[in-house]
Amino acid sequence: MKTICFKNYQELSAYTAAEIADAIKEKPSLLLCMASGHTPALTAELLVKKLLEEEIDYSQITFLGLDEWVGLPRENEGSCYHFFTTKLFEPLQLKPSQYFLFDAMSGDLKAECTKMDAVIDSNGGIDLMLVGIGMNGHIGFNEPGTSFTALSHVIELDETTKSVGQKYFKEKTALHQGITIGLGHLINAKKVFLKADGKRKADVIKKR
Ligand code: PGA
């Protein structure tokens, strides 16, 4: 594992956007998994800019959304679906067959997990993962204590996740469960970037 410290959020985001773009150039059929949230927001913006300006061919990539709030309609602006759609899929005009997101409104969440695991398996694992870290140390919705071999699963959210998660919503939102790609997939991924931004994440990074 390598740790890199950046001067600021802009530099951190530019670095990861460039790494993703290079990975796409190297492997046009890249299986890319990204988290939503505040940390990757600028990376997504810079990645779109880079791919379009440099005319990098991303027509063969497959994109996976790391997680989603269970029971939250996709049109809710705080949903991961909304993040990925507005920040990546629409600006890049990705074809629906190029991305897989959990349908957290589905009556069969187990089937959603099975579908996600099948996409990952059929591609031979995730090539590149870009994840953040929560104030309680979670990665995606792999809350503290989650097994390192867990595949996609539904989880009861930690109290910290429920309260910190309010920052994504315009009004107070009841959050109970999350659906997430598991740590087993992260451990098997070919490359992972775990990003943390700001002093408030320093303690949790030290503990990891
Ligand atoms: P953030 O979320 O990027 O919005 O800080 C990170 C997380 O909770 O996983």
Side-chain angles (χ1 to χ4, degrees), residues 36-40 132-135 138-140 164 167-168 200-201:
S36 56
H38 291 163
T39 314
I133 190 160
M135 296 300 285
H138 74 193
I139 294 176
V164 176
K167 67 180 180 172
Y168 304 116
R200 69 191 199 293
K201 297 275 174 83

Side-chain angles (χ1 to χ4, degrees), residues 84-179:
F84 293 127
T85 305
T86 54
K87 296 204 181 313
L88 290 171
F89 306 160
E90 285 173 358
L92 291 174
Q93 297 189 310
L94 285 196
K95 299 187 287 284
S97 58
Q98 274 185 280
Y99 53 84
F100 293 86
L101 303 181
F102 289 114
D103 177 1
M105 293 291 282
S106 164
D108 191 350
L109 294 172
K110 207 165 181 297
E112 288 299 304
C113 293
T114 307
K115 265 192 270 173
M116 184 62 86
D117 291 340
V119 177
I120 298 172
D121 284 350
S122 65
N123 280 274
I126 300 172
D127 291 310
L128 182 57
M129 279 184 96
L130 186 73
V131 298
I133 190 160
M135 296 300 285
N136 62 350
H138 74 193
I139 294 176
F141 285 137
N142 290 276
E143 299 287 30
T146 304
S147 157
F148 285 100
T149 56
L151 301 180
S152 300
H153 60 281
V154 174
I155 193 162
E156 293 303 320
L157 297 174
D158 203 86
E159 287 309 317
T160 310
T161 302
K162 292 182 200 172
S163 59
V164 176
Q166 296 302 322
K167 67 180 180 172
Y168 304 116
F169 302 98
K170 283 194 183 132
E171 49 199 44
K172 190 159 171 35
T173 303
L175 304 169
H176 302 291
Q177 292 183 315
I179 182 166

